[in-house]
Each structure stands twice: as structure tokens, then as C-alpha cells.
Amino acid sequence: MAKQKICVLFGGVSSEHEVSLMSAASVIRNIPADRYEVIPVGITKKGRWLYYPGPVANLADGSWEQYPDCVPAFISPDATDRGIVKCVDGAFTLQKVDAVFPVLHGKGGEDGTVQGLLELAGIPYVGCGVLSSALCMDKAAANLVMDAAGIDRCEWDYMTRAELPGFDAVADRLERRLGWPIFVKPANAGSSVGISKAHDRRELLDAVHLALAHDTRIVFERFVTGQEVECAVMGNDGPQGTLPGEILASQEFYTYDDKYLAGTSRVVIPAQLAPEKLEEVRVTAVRAYRTLCCTGLARVDFFVEAGTGRVLLNEINTMPGFTDISMYPKLMLHAGMTYGGLLDRLIQLAFERKETANG
Ligand SMILES: Nc1ncnc2c1ncn2[C@@H]1O[C@H](COP(=O)(O)OP(=O)(O)O)[C@@H](O)[C@H]1O
Ligand SMILES: [Mg+2]
């Protein structure tokens, strides 16, 4: 049987560009080569799309962009093309693809934008669709839906940039509803960027300005003390969750450096919880996944609060990190799935989802 052509998208304009490069290198190295042919297309930080036929080793340090055989390329939105268009010496050529694996984190990749393009293109793709990607990316929208579905989370609130002139009233409300310290997050950012913890009003205003540099809307949360646990969920109509794992952060909270650069966080699988708590996390993760219409995969993150033992949902990541130190592949490995087997299954789920959508 001919190999299926999988276009792997990597890089992107978001603050998680570098993480995507690392995730994509792992994905490309581990896709079962006997069944799939990878067509790598990178997106620079400026948003330029390039077909990249060079070695995987050039991804992580960003040197792939200078590779002499890179050519401009893009996914055609024309549903009769079903492929990528390459521009070689001023001429356009069409390369058909069977599926796309958008290994992109954050804005312009994990937020429904690329997914919308792929819907127009009529090409099956790995992961969540437009609605779930967009909802999960926006912390305010996701929290509102979770509240409506009765999925427990910590007390929270939000404001828009337009409310800044009346900030004193907002601060009064937050102090009353959340208490100190208050966690401040841009509604859309990703990977701990623009996030901070405020202990008083002065710090709160600084935190608001920092968050506003990343988005026009901000989410505030009560600071939760407890364990940070994560569950890997996979599937379309009948999603399954793994045993949760736990993050042992080295800093006060799980920062971007912790996650990807310093390698200082440790992961424990399963999380250090009683069996019934592990089960509660797993069942809630699947419920949240279904509530936000996820398909393919997602990593669902929680806090288990110290003292009360409450399982509080934090967020859903529709394209979780896929590097070798990432939680999602580690949880799946613990559940008995190899990295190659995991990629194979995710691609098959993309095809299955497309068939159901057409049927
Ligand atoms: N309400 C909270 N209480 C305590 N710590 C929090 C809270 N929200 C987030 N954190 C910490 O900040 C980190 C990043 O926040 P998160 O909401 O997951 O944003 P991101 O989308 O950037 O991953 C979390 O992994 C956790 O360590
Ligand atoms: Mg997070």
C-alpha cells in the first residue's frame, strides 16, 4: 500500500514557537516511516510558510529557516486541491496530502485558525476542530462553558481593557470575591506567558498591565494551593482518559522556563493521590473534553486542592507539548502506548473524524 502523506506544520507566530519546533522534531522522528511520508511545512515567527525538505536536526535551533531548499508553500483553501501549493522558481506546483498534523501551540495554530483553513481545504487533520480549539484557547470563554456545565473550578472573574479606567471598582470586586493572592492571566496567551501572581493592589495593577500586553481580556483566579495534575485524553466519540500524572514544579508556579527550558520540573505518574481521587480526575477530564467538543486529543489540567481535596479544573490544551519531556506522550506511554503507536492512532482518528463529518 502506498504511504499516506502527512503534512506536519511546525513553528508558528505564537510565543510557543520554540516549543512547537521541539514537539515537531519528536513527531517527525517517531511517525511510523513504513506507513507515512512526512511533508514538513514550517511557519516562521513572522508568519511566513516554507516547505522544508531538510534534516530534522535543524528544527530545534531554528536553522531550518536558512536551509537553501526551503520554498514558499501554503495550504490551498480550495477543497478540490486537497494539498499544499509550493512556489518553485516563480511557478506553483500542487502536492496532494492525505492529512495534516498541526504541531502548533498557542495563537495562530491551537486556537481554531489553522483548523478553519483545514476545514475549508477539506483535508483531515489531527486534533480538535474549530470550535473546541477556539474555546479551549480562550480562558474566559472556556471557564464560562465549564461553569455552565457544572464542572468545578476555582473562583474566577474577568475584565476587558475597556474597564481599565474604572480599575478601582474591579479591584474591590476581585478582593471581595477572590481574596489575596490573585492569579492574573491573559485570556489568550499560552505557556505561562503574561501570567503573574499579585499579593496586593499595586502588584495587581502591574499584573493587569503585563497581561494586557498579551490580550485585551484578562482572567483573574483565586490562588489554589495543592497538587497540579494532568490527564491525557484521546478519541472522538468515545474518548478515554489516562491515569493522571503530577507536576512537581521547582518554582512558585509552573513557568515557561520550567516547562521547556530548564527541565527543572519533575513529573510523577500516576499522581500521588488516592485511587478514588485519580478516578475522579480521569472521569472529570473526559467530561470536560466532551463538554468542550474535543476530538483527537487534549491534555486536561487540574488542581487537587490541599485540605479540601477538591478537584478543580484549570485548563484544556488541545495541542499539548509533544517533546520527549512532555506530559501527554509520557502519560500515554504509561498507559501502554508507544510514541509511534500514539501518532499512528491520532492520524487514524483524523481520518475517522473526517468520514463521520462527511456522512
Ligand atoms: N488559580 C491558580 N492557582 C494557583 N496556581 C495557578 C493557578 N492558575 C495557574 N496556576 C499556575 O500557573 C501555571 C500556568 O497557568 P495556566 O492557567 O495553566 O496557563 P497556560 O495556558 O499558560 O499553561 C499553572 O501550570 C500553575 O502552575
Ligand atoms: Mg497550563
Side-chain angles (χ1 to χ4, degrees), residues 159-204:
M159 72 173 267
T160 65
R161 187 195 297 275
E163 290 173 80
L164 203 51
F167 184 70
D168 278 346
V170 175
D172 287 344
R173 190 178 76 217
L174 297 178
E175 192 170 69
R176 207 172 48 244
R177 292 185 58 178
L178 310 179
W180 300 103
I182 295 174
F183 224 67
V184 185
K185 313 176 179 184
N188 283 274
S191 271
S192 308
V193 175
I195 288 186
S196 48
K197 184 177 172 184
H199 300 84
D200 54 39
R201 287 209 177 206
R202 204 180 45 81
E203 285 185 14
L204 185 64

Side-chain angles (χ1 to χ4, degrees), residues 124-298:
Y125 55 95
V126 170
C128 293
V130 176
L131 176 66
S132 55
S133 301
L135 266 179
C136 293
M137 185 71 203
D138 188 289
K139 293 184 195 297
N143 289 1
L144 286 168
V145 176
M146 294 297 175
D147 279 359
I151 295 173
D152 209 12
R153 60 169 309 109
C154 69
E155 295 70 19
W156 71 284
D157 205 333
Y158 74 108
M159 72 173 267
T160 65
R161 187 195 297 275
E163 290 173 80
L164 203 51
F167 184 70
D168 278 346
V170 175
D172 287 344
R173 190 178 76 217
L174 297 178
E175 192 170 69
R176 207 172 48 244
R177 292 185 58 178
L178 310 179
W180 300 103
I182 295 174
F183 224 67
V184 185
K185 313 176 179 184
N188 283 274
S191 271
S192 308
V193 175
I195 288 186
S196 48
K197 184 177 172 184
H199 300 84
D200 54 39
R201 287 209 177 206
R202 204 180 45 81
E203 285 185 14
L204 185 64
L205 190 57
D206 289 345
V208 163
H209 282 296
L210 176 70
L212 283 176
H214 298 274
D215 197 1
T216 55
R217 291 182 310 135
I218 306 178
V219 166
F220 302 95
E221 292 180 1
R222 172 172 71 80
F223 188 80
V224 179
T225 310
Q227 289 164 272
E228 196 164 352
V229 302
E230 306 186 341
C231 181
V233 184
M234 183 166 68
N236 293 342
D237 296 334
Q240 302 284 320
T242 60
L243 264 178
E246 180 173 349
I247 308 285
L248 304 178
S250 63
Q251 315 265 330
E252 198 174 2
F253 63 91
Y254 196 23
T255 63
Y256 183 91
D257 283 6
D258 245 357
K259 285 178 190 170
Y260 308 110
L261 306 176
T264 39
S265 290
R266 283 201 302 125
V267 160
V268 190
I269 303 171
Q272 298 158 306
L273 294 169
E276 58 277 13
K277 272 294 157 205
L278 290 173
E279 186 59 9
E280 187 183 339
V281 171
R282 199 181 58 76
V283 169
T284 314
V286 173
R287 236 182 95 213
Y289 185 95
R290 285 181 184 277
T291 301
L292 290 187
C293 315
C294 296
T295 50
L297 79 158

Side-chain angles (χ1 to χ4, degrees), residues 139 259 299 301 314-315 317:
K139 293 184 195 297
K259 285 178 190 170
R299 199 192 69 223
D301 299 351
N314 178 26
E315 59 154 352
N317 294 279

